Amino acid sequence: MPQLATQQLDSIHSMLAAGHRNLRIERHSLVLWGISCGMLLLFRDDIFTAEQLPTLAQQAVAWLILLALTISGVALIDWHLTQHVKQARDETWSFIHRQIVKIVWLLMSVGALLTFATFFYGGGHLLLAAWVVLCGIGLYVHGLFSEQLLEWIGALIIAIGIGMLGLRLNYPEQKWLASSTLGLGLPLLALMLDHGRVRAAKVRLLQSAGWLLCVLITPLLAHNFRLSEPSPDAPVVSLEVFRQRPDARQAVSFPAGTTIPVKVEVSGNLFRPGDTVAFPLVLNEPLLIMMNDRKLTGDMRSPEGSWTRWQDSLQITIPLIQAEYDLRNGAEIRGSLVVTTKDNFSH
């Protein structure tokens, strides 16, 4: 086939592809949504603390108001900037583009309502992954009618969110990964946009791999930095010595067999409120806990292990709660509590 005919066919193919993918996501949209979501995820523990808002209802309402203001504010700024850019290019909002924008707003609203609901129904360990998946879905849907690269990155973001749960990452690891995926990944994606050009699959694969490497390197560096932090320097004392001198900074040794009560306060309208119920738990192995001026610092380790933060190593799950009736003992509620530590806690 003559070269001229080949070039004409390629041009026709490009025009058809451009007609199918006639939308364009603006770079400022990715930057605005990425930075706002990334900052909220990264600093979520410092925004509203238990000291500021002691009850779950107060925290839930505060977060709902904050998310509503943030989402609506970013959406309005994004809409205004996009409108300005379209006017400069003498473009108008297409019907499909308006519907895609509504889908993105809907997904963000679902994330806000999900955040609000976790304060009452639990599932907070799913929240970070859910936000990542929702943002990935928004990008993927936009990419179906826009740039091909958005589909690839959107699918990767969805996979990252699912992987956060599948790998059972602890909370700090999830927070850093989610913040990097959105706060760094979306602005980086804005720099990678190529105006809807059709690329070969291997090119998209290389672009996606490079994006994934940049997104993952930040949480990996943060994780290694946490592991390389110097161990707390304090003398190791027994529990009896600590009771005599509790004001100093010291590592308190809890021997195996130490009883630690778990106190549960019962409320609601089904059971009569009464005194706090205590469930005695017995340590299976020795444990060192760092104390400073009678307060827990959050550092712990086994006698042979290295110091680590409790939220990095401790995993608590309640896989079973069910009601039973026994002819001998009567009605009872049976549950299961699983408390485990990660490998680096004891090695």
Side-chain angles (χ1 to χ4, degrees):
M1 182 179 294
Q3 184 177 4
L4 179 60
T6 303
Q7 293 177 351
Q8 290 176 343
L9 288 176
D10 291 339
S11 300
I12 294 173
H13 182 268
S14 299
M15 287 188 294
L16 290 174
H20 294 158
R21 298 176 178 270
N22 57 354
L23 300 186
R24 177 185 296 181
I25 189 170
E26 304 298 338
R27 287 186 169 88
H28 63 257
S29 299
L30 293 172
V31 174
L32 283 173
W33 287 106
I35 292 179
S36 59
C37 291
M39 296 294 286
L40 282 176
L41 294 178
L42 183 60
F43 297 105
R44 65 189 301 263
D45 297 329
D46 304 320
I47 297 176
F48 299 121
T49 62
E51 290 76 15
Q52 298 170 338
L53 303 172
T55 65
L56 290 179
Q58 292 175 343
Q59 297 176 25
V61 173
W63 268 106
L64 184 62
I65 294 175
L66 175 63
L67 290 175
L69 293 176
T70 302
I71 293 173
S72 58
V74 173
L76 289 175
I77 295 174
D78 183 24
W79 181 277
H80 175 75
L81 292 178
T82 303
Q83 181 74 16
H84 179 74
V85 171
K86 284 184 174 294
Q87 289 178 354
R89 292 199 300 255
D90 196 21
E91 296 178 359
T92 59
W93 289 87
S94 66
F95 174 78
I96 297 179
H97 198 172
R98 291 177 183 271
Q99 308 316 309
I100 294 297
V101 171
K102 292 177 183 178
I103 291 176
V104 173
W105 292 354
L106 177 62
L107 291 173
M108 295 298 101
S109 301
V110 169
L113 293 177
L114 180 62
T115 303
F116 178 77
T118 55
F119 285 95
F120 302 100
Y121 301 104
H125 62 288
L126 305 173
L127 191 58
L128 295 177
W131 272 103
V132 172
V133 170
L134 289 173
C135 292
I137 292 175
L139 273 182
Y140 185 83
V141 172
H142 203 298
L144 294 176
F145 305 94
S146 180
E147 302 195 31
Q148 190 182 46
L149 184 60
L150 295 179
E151 287 185 63
W152 287 72
I153 301 301
L156 274 180
I157 293 178
I158 295 174
I160 289 175
I162 297 174
M164 290 167 59
L165 298 178
L167 297 176
R168 301 186 65 182
L169 301 181
N170 57 40
Y171 174 72
E173 293 170 346
Q174 287 195 32
K175 183 176 71 171
W176 276 102
L177 182 55
S179 303
S180 177
T181 300
L182 302 182
L184 177 63
L186 295 188
L188 179 60
L189 176 60
L191 299 176
M192 297 170 58
L193 296 179
D194 49 12
H195 306 293
R197 296 175 183 173
V198 179
R199 304 283 190 181
K202 61 180 181 181
V203 175
R204 295 303 186 196
L205 186 60
L206 290 175
Q207 288 178 322
S208 301
W211 179 89
L212 185 62
L213 179 62
C214 294
V215 166
L216 294 181
I217 194 171
T218 299
L220 287 176
L221 291 176
H223 179 69
N224 291 333
F225 176 76
R226 290 176 64 89
L227 294 180
S228 62
E229 287 182 347
S231 301
D233 186 15
V236 178
V237 299
S238 64
L239 192 57
E240 291 74 15
V241 174
F242 169 73
R243 289 170 178 168
Q244 298 174 3
R245 295 179 299 172
D247 296 330
R249 179 180 176 87
Q250 49 200 328
V252 183
S253 175
F254 289 77
T258 302
T259 300
I260 300 179
V262 177
K263 297 182 178 180
V264 179
E265 182 178 347
V266 180
S267 61
N269 59 358
L270 180 60
F271 296 103
R272 181 180 301 173
D275 297 334
T276 301
V277 180
F279 301 95
L281 300 181
V282 181
L283 281 179
N284 189 43
E285 60 182 26
L287 181 66
L288 295 179
I289 297 179
M290 185 62 64
M291 303 287 293
N292 187 19
D293 194 18
R294 305 188 183 191
K295 296 181 180 179
L296 296 169
T297 65
D299 299 296
M300 57 185 293
R301 71 175 177 89
S302 65
E304 297 81 16
S306 57
W307 286 103
T308 181
R309 302 290 294 179
W310 67 267
Q311 63 265 37
D312 292 344
S313 297
L314 199 61
Q315 295 180 346
I316 302 175
T317 56
I318 304 177
L320 174 66
I321 295 181
Q322 65 180 19
E324 296 180 350
Y325 186 85
D326 184 75
L327 294 178
R328 176 180 299 179
N329 300 323
E332 61 182 12
I333 297 177
R334 185 180 301 274
S336 175
L337 176 66
V338 181
V339 184
T340 57
T341 56
K342 283 199 169 184
D343 294 338
N344 62 344
F345 174 78
S346 57
H347 294 86

